[in-house]
Amino acid sequence: MSSVVRVERDFERQRNSDLILHMHMGQVEKLTMTAEGCPLLIRCKNFLCLTFIVPRERECQDVYLSLLEFSRPAEINKLYAFNYTSNESLEKTHGWDMFDLQSEFMRMGAPNENWVITNLNAQYELCDTYPSLLYVPATATTPVLVGSSKFRSRGRLPVLSYMHGENNATLTRCSQPLSGFSARCVEDEQMLQAILRANPGSDYMYVVDTRPKINAMVNKAQGKGYENESFYSNMKFQFLGIENIHVMRASLQKLIDLSELKKPSMNDFLNRLESCGWLKHIAAVIDTSAFIARAISDGTSVLVHCSDGWDRTAQTCSLAGIMLDPYYRTIQGFQALIEKEWLGFGHKFTDRCGLLESVEVKETSPVFTQFLECVWQMMQQFPCAFQFNERFLLTIHDHIYSCQFGTFIGNCEKDRLDLRLTERTYSLWGYLSLHSTEYLNPLYKKTYEIKQPVIIPNPSPQALRYWRGMYNRFESGIHPREAILDIISAAKDHSVSLEDHVLLLEKRVTQICKLLGKSEEAIQRKLQGHVSMDSIEGYLSGHIGDSPNVYTNAATPILSNHKTGPCDTPDAVEMVPLTSKGSFDSEAQLESTKGTSISGSLNHIKSDSESGFDEASSQLSRSGGVDELAGGGGMSMVRSPSSDMLTLEQLVAELKTVAIGWKSFRNVFNCSCASPFDHYVKKFHCWKCGQVFCVRCIARSIPLPGHYHRRPVPVCKPCYREVRRSPSTEFPLS
Amino acid sequence: MEFVEFIKTPMVNSVTLRRPFTPDMEGTLCVTGHHLIISSRSDNHEELWLLHSNVDSVEKKLSGSGGTLALKCKDFLILYLDIPVAEDCINVASSVLALSNIDDITLRYPFFFRPMFDVIENGWQAFSAETEFNRFKECQEDWRISYVNKDYKVCPTYPHAVFVPKSIEDETIIKAATFRQGGRFPVLSYYHKDSKTVMMRSSQPLSGPSSKRCKEDERLVNSVMGMGKRGFIVDTRAQGVAKMAQSKGGGFELEAHYPQWRRIHQPIERRTSFHDSLIKMIEACNDSSSSMDKWLSKLESSNWLTHVKDILTSSCVVAQSMDKERVSVLVHGSEGTDTTLLVSSLAQIILDHDCRAVTGLTLVDFLLTLPVPGLP
């Protein structure tokens, strides 16, 4: 049984064939028969919507039934992750040990004198949806913890979620109390007092109930509800109206209907956007999170809960974390945050994503999608504050549903341990780290961390946008034709490459000038572009003409080689008139200076290459290279012509390894491997040839001889082979 | 100076400035001949200079001993000024009102403005009809510059030099102009090199209820078409609106008289409804208390985005006709100054990469064919 269905698409202008993961399929519907055949509508969880026309009805029925079966397996062990094997160089173990709760809490400064680790939940006996390690106030005794746990829905007692480094204010999370109409629990009251006392800077704290008050009251009838204010002193209770998962599910369904409209009128679009209420809910989540973040940055601790404390609580706690702590806005930190708030504290991914047949519809809800959208909305308001880009969020969203990785399988930490996911499946974090270059935001400013560590987004409706990148992701027509962020990151890479190349050229020019006996000062001035070219010209022509002894050996074979040789470069050709006449008068001639210099400096470069030529030698010439250079010049005079010719090739090869011009992304619709680029796919440049490739064709990095620092840089496959084969390089194979 | 007459209270202290989505600021208010200055006079010295001519409307509301001025500006800035003394409030309001509506055009700010920077380039000479015509070298076989309007008599709102078909003499143009509203006879607006097609613009023909015709106008319009070629007349009004215009003396080209042209209606609302729509949208944008639902429904009922979409659609139709279907286009609405201008200039931006550069954009025919700049 293959987990991937290969299908022909009904509209021809698109790609001819497409792969869709069964796991991504949300709804499969058979529509009424038409003249051409039986239409089969597939709505995917990543908002791709396709209609297939199957010619015969019986086939359609077969396909329909098998799709229904495959898209929602009956048991958890049939999920794609347990069959999936990576064809990339991804190890199964990679990524599973990247994050652990203990080091994350260590980073925040816990445990400390106010907060301690408790082992009460080591075997998940206190609360089976919590992690095994819990951080609780130091003053809370075991009876208090156990008592409080018994008084909270599903045993989810108040535990530490985030500690704000600057003022020790904390964010704690729990589920609703089992208060009903009159019940109280002294231990739970003591627990909250202990949390309050753990923040000596404040004499009150907030208890945020993220539900609308009416919902909380309804829960009272079921023996749950909210804390009775008169039993808890020094607490400020706050209801903030985020709707429940059923409202969100219905709202998303309406949003999907909206996103599937073909050519809606402007009024129709706005009307439906309003009536689906999606953005209203997003605003409510952001507003609540901003309330929490503001309170904590003002030094007041906050306890957050909703009903079970794993949906709205997870959303708001993690968003407040992103607002408060710059670390969570980095690629690494964002994953740590998901690992802590969502995976650690038990968001029911399997249920909410509807991965299994057994999951009832009323358990599914786009809670995590909403969280990602809130992050995206914040990214729109603070474009320089995040290390990652939209693609990162979309990739995570895809793999929440794809089940390709074991990371999001199961409903809590205990489930995941029981399923032995770390042995049987791959980790998404490993995959993301392998692809991290695709997710970098070129606008990210690290200084944001210090200048404006706390970012509070504006939840007013004018500031929120419709996320077409998510909900209309597969409609290529409505996205910008050029992805500005990708263009910026390409431009950044390009200038890094050129600057590194310039450093190397300067080094070579310096070496040559030294060989010619120029003073250090003159070389520097020349490199700055101040020197009058006449003096050099006079010197060069004179010098080369006058003392052939030194250079004939080196230069003559080279020149003759190049007049006839196959590897003519502009540099080499320019060389010929230069040595005889030499005319330096324009900027353009600088290139040819290089050419001349090359012929002279070969001697040294030879010695350079013999001494290892890459990392070691460049380090050398940067620090104490001056003496070495002079010595090298002397030594080279005894080189035989044949070895000098080899050196020239090396030098030419060295200069050719760096692309000066990079191809523009514009009007590039396919990679050379024929895989199409759409708006979502990141395009890459080969640093050697400057052409545009997809991620699979550029998977390798190698140091280029044309770069001074010799850092491994991405190149395409043909260039990779070429650089590896080239005689001038002795790089370790990667 | 005359300005002094209008300024009864030149300076008011402890005025509070409120703006939507911005913290309040307290400071001193000064009224000068051309500016309203609000200065916080604190350490980090925030100062706001507002040109009177930027003020669109002044509303004053007195409450207790003081009052509040609401200034709505043409650049969509909305300011509220809390002034502690009612008399000051009334004085400032009347000053701003008077100074923002000075009739004598020579008293306006441009005549007083002295740049603080060195003027390197004479902007007045930067664009001329002749250099513009050189951009369309390829069409110089069929088109020429005509100075028929050099005294602005044929059409007071056209520039002194216009591009017309080479085969049409100036006398024909003069007659054709009488058949077009405001004398805005069809002229070349843009030549598209890739498909060798042209875009022309004009105002509506004055065919009137009896469907009059004008031989000269027909000659002018039809001369653009070579043998066997076809063109589109893009009318920016709905068909019904165009028919209604007939009863008021306007109208549209009858296809019988312009055999090579096909008329397409691409309805865009009239200028006046843009204005209402803009007011509604600005109000929605600046309502900082509105909920998501209220915001979206206000945005919807303002219709602003609908207008934007209509204008873009029409421009795309024109651009696509020229580029893909390779036909020439004549664009007009009623007066040929508003929707015509929008569509013809946007179509150029779509078609011509030069128009997307800084100097190119200024070239796009806003100044060349607008009514005299400066008149409201």
Side-chain angles (χ1 to χ4, degrees):
Chain A
M1 175 188 95
S2 146
S3 270
V4 170
V5 65
R6 191 169 193 93
V7 282
E8 295 295 314
R9 283 173 86 150
D10 57 332
F11 20 107
E12 282 172 14
R13 63 188 172 81
Q14 298 277 357
R15 296 159 252 176
N16 286 335
S17 66
D18 242 314
L19 299 173
I20 306 162
L21 282 175
H22 279 150
M23 291 312 306
H24 266 159
M25 292 177 188
Q27 287 171 309
V28 186
E29 269 176 56
K30 252 176 67 188
L31 304 178
T32 42
M33 188 84 181
T34 64
E36 294 125 53
C38 200
L40 191 66
L41 177 82
I42 300 176
R43 283 207 181 88
C44 296
K45 289 167 179 167
N46 57 356
F47 307 109
L48 175 66
C49 180
L50 296 170
T51 313
F52 301 101
I53 311 283
V54 185
R56 279 186 221 103
E57 194 180 358
R58 243 196 59 209
E59 285 173 359
C60 182
Q61 180 68 15
D62 290 349
V63 173
Y64 173 68
L65 289 177
S66 46
L67 287 184
L68 273 190
E69 193 190 320
F70 291 155
S71 64
R72 301 180 76 196
E75 53 177 307
I76 202 157
N77 290 319
K78 290 264 167 62
L79 286 176
Y80 183 42
F82 297 103
N83 292 325
Y84 169 74
T85 42
S86 171
N87 50 7
E88 295 175 83
S89 52
L90 183 60
E91 296 288 328
K92 231 173 198 171
T93 50
H94 188 47
W96 284 113
D97 52 356
M98 274 183 181
F99 305 98
D100 76 297
L101 276 183
Q102 226 167 333
S103 50
E104 173 54 22
F105 277 101
M106 194 89 84
R107 190 189 64 83
M108 292 188 262
N112 58 16
E113 70 269 28
N114 293 320
W115 293 88
V116 293
I117 302 179
T118 173
N119 280 321
L120 281 176
N121 203 34
Q123 300 302 318
Y124 304 102
E125 56 271 77
L126 197 61
C127 169
D128 58 358
T129 54
Y130 265 174
S132 57
L133 288 179
L134 296 176
Y135 290 76
V136 292
T139 52
T141 57
T142 303
V144 167
L145 295 176
V146 174
S148 171
S149 164
K150 291 218 171 89
F151 187 62
R152 293 279 167 179
S153 173
R154 297 175 198 271
R156 295 171 67 89
L157 71 160
V159 290
L160 182 69
S161 149
Y162 171 72
M163 180 156 27
H164 198 48
E166 301 191 351
N167 52 24
N168 286 323
T170 55
L171 179 61
T172 41
R173 51 182 289 178
C174 62
S175 61
Q176 62 185 341
L178 302 172
S179 53
F181 289 103
S182 56
R184 67 183 284 187
C185 169
V186 180
E187 288 88 354
D188 191 61
E189 289 156 28
Q190 287 169 345
M191 181 72 190
L192 264 64
Q193 291 308 321
I195 294 172
L196 170 61
R197 280 197 305 277
N199 174 16
S202 176
D203 49 12
Y204 69 95
M205 69 181 254
Y206 283 108
V207 176
V208 169
D209 192 327
T210 59
R211 300 168 292 182
K213 189 160 188 182
I214 182 90
N215 295 21
M217 280 158 85
V218 170
N219 268 299
K220 278 201 159 188
Q222 300 159 2
K224 300 166 188 168
Y226 53 94
E227 295 85 354
N228 186 330
E229 289 186 35
S230 51
F231 300 147
Y232 297 85
S233 50
N234 299 325
M235 303 282 152
K236 290 193 181 175
F237 291 88
Q238 193 82 32
F239 287 95
L240 290 153
I242 305 178
E243 298 290 346
N244 63 25
I245 58 167
H246 312 295
V247 175
M248 300 307 183
R249 180 176 58 245
S251 173
L252 181 72
Q253 189 52 53
K254 284 191 193 160
L255 185 76
I256 291 173
D257 294 344
L258 160 76
S259 70
E260 284 173 10
L261 286 181
K262 299 268 177 281
K263 293 192 177 172
S265 77
M266 188 52 81
N267 286 351
D268 196 20
F269 179 83
L270 290 172
N271 214 335
R272 281 164 177 263
L273 190 60
E274 180 199 332
S275 65
C276 80
W278 182 257
L279 285 174
K280 183 174 74 187
H281 301 313
I282 295 290
V285 176
I286 293 180
D287 201 19
T288 307
S289 316
F291 175 86
I292 298 169
R294 232 179 267 122
I296 291 179
S297 78
D298 291 345
T300 315
S301 292
V302 182
L303 172 67
V304 184
H305 71 76
C306 50
S307 297
D308 285 322
W310 51 40
D311 295 315
R312 285 166 277 195
T313 305
Q315 284 177 333
T316 50
C317 287
S318 43
L319 284 169
I322 291 174
M323 293 173 198
L324 289 166
D325 192 339
Y327 172 67
Y328 293 136
R329 290 172 230 144
T330 62
I331 289 183
Q332 182 81 6
F334 190 69
Q335 295 170 12
L337 182 74
I338 293 176
E339 189 76 27
K340 169 167 72 91
E341 298 291 341
W342 295 83
L343 297 168
F345 290 113
H347 175 68
K348 304 204 288 179
F349 277 105
T350 301
D351 289 4
R352 294 291 178 261
C353 301
L355 299 180
L356 298 178
E357 198 191 352
S358 57
V359 176
E360 289 175 64
V361 174
K362 71 176 172 57
E363 276 292 313
T364 63
S365 189
V367 177
F368 195 77
T369 308
Q370 242 173 358
F371 161 67
L372 290 179
E373 170 157 355
C374 292
V375 177
W376 179 82
Q377 299 280 6
M378 284 175 71
M379 283 162 65
Q380 303 310 299
Q381 296 189 19
F382 300 92
C384 303
F386 290 83
Q387 194 193 12
F388 47 84
N389 57 14
E390 180 184 8
R391 190 178 288 117
F392 182 65
L393 301 180
L394 292 174
T395 308
I396 293 178
H397 185 262
D398 273 359
H399 292 303
I400 297 293
Y401 291 103
S402 74
C403 290
Q404 189 169 323
F405 301 97
T407 308
F408 294 105
I409 288 174
N411 284 333
C412 56
E413 192 181 282
K414 183 169 178 291
D415 277 5
R416 282 184 275 276
L417 277 182
D418 293 346
L419 286 167
R420 293 184 295 114
L421 291 171
T422 47
E423 301 154 37
R424 298 167 65 195
T425 63
Y426 291 86
S427 165
L428 175 64
W429 308 143
Y431 171 86
L432 290 180
S433 78
L434 211 63
H435 290 249
S436 59
T437 48
E438 287 169 65
Y439 309 126
L440 290 172
N441 171 15
L443 300 176
Y444 176 56
K445 280 206 191 77
K446 203 150 168 34
T447 49
Y448 234 99
E449 281 182 22
I450 301 127
K451 275 201 208 139
Q452 201 187 350
V454 177
I455 55 170
I456 305 285
N458 183 345
S460 64
Q462 288 94 333
L464 301 184
R465 302 182 193 177
Y466 171 75
W467 192 7
R468 60 179 177 198
M470 172 73 102
Y471 308 108
N472 290 84
R473 193 167 117 197
F474 297 94
E475 263 175 68
S476 50
I478 68 161
H479 297 293
R481 299 300 194 274
E482 275 129 22
I484 296 164
L485 290 186
D486 286 351
I487 291 174
I488 295 173
S489 41
K492 267 175 112 179
D493 287 349
H494 192 187
S495 68
V496 166
S497 172
L498 290 180
E499 277 165 18
D500 210 3
H501 188 51
V502 165
L503 281 180
L504 180 98
L505 294 179
E506 283 183 354
K507 176 183 157 193
R508 296 287 176 250
V509 170
T510 312
Q511 289 167 348
I512 289 145
C513 290
K514 280 195 181 302
L515 277 170
L516 298 176
K518 297 292 286 183
S519 73
E520 183 75 29
E521 193 193 349
I523 296 166
Q524 280 310 315
R525 270 191 294 146
K526 181 176 153 14
L527 287 178
Q528 307 291 317
H530 293 314
V531 82
S532 87
M533 284 301 179
D534 295 338
S535 63
I536 281 208
E537 176 199 345
Y539 181 81
L540 267 183
S541 52
H543 197 83
I544 290 170
D546 288 349
S547 53
N549 296 348
V550 185
Y551 292 102
T552 325
N553 275 355
T556 316
I558 296 157
L559 293 179
S560 53
N561 177 22
H562 269 280
K563 276 173 201 155
T564 53
C567 59
D568 271 14
T569 66
D571 296 342
V573 176
E574 286 277 356
M575 233 152 65
V576 183
L578 249 173
T579 35
S580 54
K581 228 174 94 215
S583 60
F584 295 83
D585 44 36
S586 70
E587 185 63 31
Q589 295 291 346
L590 205 72
E591 191 70 2
S592 32
T593 328
K594 217 192 304 158
T596 337
S597 327
I598 287 159
S599 61
S601 75
L602 293 171
N603 313 317
H604 166 62
I605 286 159
K606 178 58 197 163
S607 73
D608 215 348
S609 83
E610 280 198 339
S611 66
F613 200 72
D614 50 308
E615 287 309 333
S617 82
S618 63
Q619 291 292 336
L620 240 174
S621 45
R622 240 180 301 160
S623 50
V626 184
D627 293 328
E628 196 257 344
L629 278 178
M635 268 162 59
S636 65
M637 275 181 258
V638 294
R639 299 263 166 255
S640 72
S642 63
S643 69
D644 279 326
M645 279 166 70
L646 186 77
T647 320
L648 177 74
E649 275 155 20
Q650 281 182 335
L651 200 86
V652 168
E654 180 181 86
L655 292 178
K656 281 205 302 190
T657 53
V658 173
I660 303 301
W662 279 17
K663 194 172 176 179
S664 150
F665 284 148
R666 177 176 280 193
N667 295 334
V668 179
F669 302 110
N670 288 85
C671 173
S672 59
C673 69
S675 71
F677 290 127
D678 61 21
H679 136 89
Y680 169 69
V681 175
K682 164 120 176 156
K683 300 171 198 168
F684 290 87
H685 279 109
C686 168
W687 289 41
K688 183 176 176 302
C689 65
Q691 297 294 311
V692 178
F693 295 93
C694 72
V695 63
R696 279 184 299 280
C697 293
I698 205 127
R700 289 163 187 269
S701 286
I702 194 168
L704 294 181
H707 281 148
Y708 183 82
H709 287 111
R710 296 295 180 80
R711 278 183 288 258
V713 295
V715 291
C716 64
K717 281 173 184 162
C719 287
Y720 181 78
R721 281 196 293 274
E722 198 182 312
V723 173
R724 262 184 54 185
R725 265 209 318 266
S726 86
S728 65
T729 51
E730 293 149 34
F731 303 115
L733 309 179
S734 65
Chain B
M1 182 110 81
E2 299 90 329
F3 293 132
V4 182
E5 297 165 22
F6 299 120
I7 305 170
K8 290 176 199 129
T9 311
M11 198 162 91
V12 189
N13 281 315
S14 49
V15 172
T16 310
L17 167 69
R18 290 183 287 124
R19 285 164 285 185
F21 303 106
T22 320
D24 294 354
M25 174 179 119
E26 202 187 295
T28 305
L29 178 81
C30 298
V31 187
T32 71
H34 286 111
H35 287 96
L36 194 70
I37 305 161
I38 302 144
S39 166
S40 68
R41 293 200 158 170
S42 61
D43 285 342
N44 53 354
H45 216 68
E46 200 189 338
E47 232 174 44
L48 185 108
W49 286 58
L50 182 72
L51 264 181
H52 294 314
S53 51
N54 188 9
V55 175
D56 195 40
S57 79
V58 186
E59 288 162 29
K60 59 172 186 288
K61 205 162 75 187
L62 298 178
S63 61
S65 61
T68 300
L69 280 189
L71 301 180
K72 294 189 176 156
C73 302
K74 290 166 188 163
D75 61 358
F76 312 128
L77 179 71
I78 297 188
L79 301 175
Y80 297 95
L81 296 169
D82 294 335
I83 299 174
V85 181
E87 196 197 334
D88 291 341
C89 181
I90 295 165
N91 285 345
V92 171
S94 67
S95 303
V96 174
L97 203 61
L99 290 166
S100 61
N101 290 296
I102 295 177
D103 282 334
D104 183 356
I105 203 161
T106 58
L107 287 180
R108 295 218 172 177
Y109 191 52
F111 295 94
F112 292 82
F113 172 67
R114 294 289 170 266
M116 305 285 282
F117 50 89
D118 292 331
V119 179
I120 301 163
E121 194 183 4
N122 185 350
W124 294 110
Q125 307 290 317
F127 305 102
S128 75
E130 286 78 6
T131 51
E132 171 72 341
F133 191 57
N134 283 335
R135 281 180 60 227
F136 303 146
K137 279 190 227 63
E138 294 85 347
C139 71
Q140 282 172 6
E141 273 177 30
D142 303 318
W143 296 81
R144 66 184 177 94
I145 298 186
S146 162
Y147 296 98
V148 64
N149 197 33
K150 63 177 181 296
D151 304 320
Y152 304 103
K153 290 221 176 79
V154 180
C155 170
T157 57
Y158 268 175
H160 71 285
V162 290
F163 309 130
V164 294
K166 215 168 206 172
S167 55
I168 301 298
E169 315 76 43
D170 283 358
E171 296 82 69
T172 317
I173 292 170
I174 293 166
K175 289 204 180 107
T178 59
F179 186 63
R180 295 276 172 177
Q181 184 168 356
R184 295 176 77 88
F185 53 91
V187 292
L188 178 73
S189 158
Y190 170 67
Y191 174 76
H192 189 49
K193 287 175 207 141
D194 298 355
S195 62
K196 297 192 172 56
T197 53
V198 295
M199 175 165 63
M200 294 193 296
R201 49 178 296 177
S202 69
S203 59
Q204 64 177 343
L206 299 170
S207 45
S210 54
S211 294
K212 274 188 301 213
R213 53 188 290 195
C214 169
K215 282 266 160 21
E216 287 79 9
D217 186 66
E218 287 162 28
R219 258 194 65 206
L220 173 56
V221 174
N222 290 332
S223 70
V224 178
M225 292 283 115
M227 284 292 285
K229 290 239 177 96
R230 290 193 60 82
F232 291 151
I233 295 177
V234 174
D235 194 324
T236 60
R237 302 163 295 178
Q239 192 153 16
V241 179
K243 286 231 168 74
M244 289 216 321
Q246 261 184 319
S247 61
K248 294 177 196 142
F252 48 87
E253 295 84 356
L254 278 178
E255 286 180 1
H257 308 319
Y258 301 86
Q260 283 169 295
W261 295 86
R262 212 182 94 205
R263 213 173 62 245
I264 308 173
H265 289 277
Q266 278 294 326
I268 301 175
E269 288 282 345
R270 298 261 305 158
R271 183 188 60 203
T272 44
S273 59
F274 289 170
H275 194 242
D276 294 342
S277 165
L278 181 65
I279 290 171
K280 282 191 197 157
M281 192 192 58
I282 298 305
E283 200 213 301
C285 289
N286 286 287
D287 183 354
S288 46
S289 66
S290 69
S291 68
M292 182 57 81
D293 288 357
K294 216 164 124 202
W295 153 249
L296 285 172
S297 69
K298 275 181 164 179
L299 188 63
E300 184 206 328
S301 61
S302 80
N303 276 329
W304 178 257
L305 287 172
T306 308
H307 296 320
V308 172
K309 185 170 175 267
D310 287 346
I311 293 165
L312 280 174
T313 310
S314 308
S315 314
C316 289
V317 165
V318 171
Q320 229 156 6
S321 310
M322 292 178 69
D323 191 58
K324 291 275 176 313
E325 303 195 26
R326 297 174 164 271
V327 297
S328 291
V329 176
L330 168 64
V331 186
H332 72 72
S334 309
E335 295 92 349
T337 49
D338 302 308
T339 50
T340 312
L341 173 60
L342 284 170
V343 172
S344 62
S345 46
L346 280 170
Q348 286 178 62
I349 292 174
I350 295 171
L351 288 170
D352 190 347
H353 148 277
D354 285 346
C355 296
R356 287 174 234 141
V358 176
T359 46
L361 186 67
T362 11
L363 261 177
V364 175
D365 45 14
F366 270 85
L367 282 176
L368 283 177
T369 30
L370 254 193
V372 186
L375 283 182

